[in-house]
Amino acid sequence: VEDSPEYQLLIASALSGSNLTFASTLKEARESVNSRNTYFDMILLDLELPDGHGIKFLSELKMLPQWNERPVFILSVDNDILSKVTAFTVGAGDYICKPFHALELKARVEAVLKRVQEKQRSADFVKIGNLI
């Protein structure tokens, strides 16, 4: 969820090979998230958007059961500690300050998605005593 075309291009470049959907407003983001035809592994969320603040959207997402465990990254020019603490308190998985380097974004996204996938794989098994 990013309203800047320049940052959309940077994100697309950093995460090339991924299936990306861009929203420029919170309204578009809500429509995409609520679409029954769409599944997202994660969201990259700018805080300052034309129709509102990303923290409100993050708190809405984290109230939905399907988003409780999925990561949401904050991308923001806001570098103050209060904004970061608020984002993490509401449920952000990471906070990346703009400007950022494409390689850093890619590394952070891959690391978080890898942890999520490992957690999902381990949840596919039940261990009782010596039985798995």
Side-chain angles (χ1 to χ4, degrees):
V1 185
E2 173 60 63
D3 61 324
S4 163
E6 293 83 10
Y7 274 105
Q8 287 183 1
L9 285 172
L10 179 60
I11 292 165
S13 171
L15 304 178
S16 64
S18 300
N19 185 9
L20 303 176
T21 301
F22 285 98
S24 297
T25 64
L26 293 174
K27 181 182 179 201
E28 290 175 17
R30 284 185 186 97
E31 289 170 357
S32 292
V33 166
N34 293 327
S35 170
R36 295 185 186 266
N37 306 353
T38 311
Y39 176 86
F40 298 101
D41 292 313
M42 70 176 306
I43 289 181
L44 303 174
L45 176 62
D46 187 8
L47 290 184
E48 299 295 328
L49 292 157
D51 58 344
H53 200 273
I55 289 292
K56 184 174 188 258
F57 180 62
L58 174 61
S59 61
E60 291 171 16
L61 277 177
K62 290 303 180 175
M63 290 172 40
L64 300 171
Q66 65 270 31
W67 278 97
N68 197 25
E69 296 295 323
R70 287 191 228 166
V72 178
F73 278 39
I74 300 299
L75 304 177
S76 179
V77 295
D78 199 351
N79 194 19
D80 72 88
I81 193 67
L82 185 57
S83 294
K84 292 176 183 179
V85 170
T86 301
F88 286 120
T89 301
V90 174
D94 202 348
Y95 195 107
I96 302 172
C97 294
K98 295 177 183 176
F100 54 84
H101 195 282
L103 287 174
E104 179 184 9
L105 177 64
K106 181 179 181 176
R108 287 177 181 245
V109 166
E110 286 175 351
V112 167
L113 289 177
K114 183 177 178 182
R115 284 194 300 270
V116 168
Q117 289 169 349
E118 287 172 359
K119 186 175 181 180
Q120 287 172 343
R121 266 189 249 121
S122 68
D124 291 340
F125 298 96
V126 176
K127 184 174 182 180
I128 302 171
N130 291 331
L131 298 176
I132 297 177

